[in-house]
């Protein structure tokens, strides 16, 4: 297993997306290998919503006739990708300042605060959007830029 992991890591390092994904603090080699094996190159997707739909993180409403139900994630996607994103986002919330601030904002905002798991699902989609942007724009992750975007979000709200 160790030899196979090393070989897979070497193959992933040959891909152009690897360096951009590795620039995010908190995402390791094994996570990048798992992500690339599930979705392939992130540059082949035109819009990050395609990745979110592939992961099954889109919202759907349980309703029939007059009754409107709750909105939940559809889970019509790759179960392993959803599990991977959930496992990745937990340490990111703890150790990455940008994601920590996003999580605090979503759970404590005055209008429509989210529960903790709802916030984690939103942040999984946010992570996919960030990774897609990094690979398409061919830039490294900049925590300060993400924090600036976060402050603009707070000002707009």
């Amino acid at each position: 297993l160790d030899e196979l992991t090393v070989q897979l890591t070497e193959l992933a390092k040959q891909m152009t997306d690897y360096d951009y994904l590795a620039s995010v603090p908190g995402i390791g080699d094994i996570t990048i290998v798992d992500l690339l094996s599930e979705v392939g190159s992130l540059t082949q997707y035109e819009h990050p919503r395609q990745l979110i739909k592939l992961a099954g993180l889109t919202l759907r409403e349980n309703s029939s006739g007059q009754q409107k139900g709750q909105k939940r994630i559809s889970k019509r996607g790759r179960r392993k990708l959803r599990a991977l994103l959930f496992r990745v986002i937990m340490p990111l919330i703890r150790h990455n300042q940008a994601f920590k601030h996003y999580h605090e904002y979503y759970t404590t905002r005055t209008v429509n605060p989210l529960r903790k798991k709802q916030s984690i699902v939103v942040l999984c989609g946010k992570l996919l959007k960030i990774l897609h942007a990094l690979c398409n724009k061919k830039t490294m992750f900049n925590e300060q830029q993400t924090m600036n975007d976060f402050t603009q979000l707070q000002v707009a709200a």
Side-chain angles (χ1 to χ4, degrees), residues 4 16 24 30-31 46 48 59 69 72 75 80 83 89 99 101 106 111 126-127 155:
L4 186 60
T16 56
V24 180
I30 296 172
T31 303
E46 291 181 23
L59 294 178
R72 298 181 184 266
K75 295 187 181 177
K80 290 181 181 179
I89 207 71
F99 283 97
H101 287 302
Y106 286 132
V111 178
K126 183 82 172 162
L127 178 64
V155 170

Side-chain angles (χ1 to χ4, degrees), residues 74-88:
S74 68
K75 295 187 181 177
R76 284 187 163 195
R78 297 193 176 177
R79 177 178 32 208
K80 290 181 181 179
L81 180 57
R82 262 194 320 277
L84 171 72
L85 290 170
F86 191 82
R87 284 193 318 265
V88 168

Side-chain angles (χ1 to χ4, degrees), residues 23 28 44 65 98 102 117 142 155-156:
S23 69
Q44 69 183 352
Y102 273 115
K117 284 231 175 147
N142 184 352
V155 170

Side-chain angles (χ1 to χ4, degrees), residues 10-115:
E10 290 302 319
L11 284 173
K13 286 182 180 179
Q14 293 173 5
M15 294 182 72
T16 56
D17 294 351
Y18 179 83
D19 293 329
Y20 306 119
L21 297 176
S23 69
V24 180
I27 296 182
D29 291 342
I30 296 172
T31 303
I32 294 171
V33 168
D34 287 346
L35 181 68
L36 291 176
S37 67
E38 280 293 322
V39 299
S41 176
L42 296 175
T43 56
Q44 69 183 352
Y45 298 95
E46 291 181 23
H47 200 273
R49 293 290 301 167
Q50 293 173 314
L51 286 167
I52 292 171
K53 189 168 184 173
L54 182 68
L57 295 175
T58 54
L59 294 178
R60 70 176 176 86
E61 186 176 66
N62 288 332
S63 60
S64 76
Q66 301 288 323
Q67 182 258 343
K68 285 187 77 164
Q70 289 184 336
K71 290 185 178 180
R72 298 181 184 266
I73 62 171
S74 68
K75 295 187 181 177
R76 284 187 163 195
R78 297 193 176 177
R79 177 178 32 208
K80 290 181 181 179
L81 180 57
R82 262 194 320 277
L84 171 72
L85 290 170
F86 191 82
R87 284 193 318 265
V88 168
I89 207 71
M90 296 305 284
L92 279 178
I93 289 172
R94 261 186 251 117
H95 302 296
N96 190 317
Q97 289 298 315
F99 283 97
K100 183 184 279 189
H101 287 302
Y102 273 115
H103 183 64
E104 288 174 8
Y105 169 73
Y106 286 132
T107 55
T108 60
R109 62 186 178 185
T110 56
V111 178
N112 190 22
L114 300 176
R115 293 189 296 264

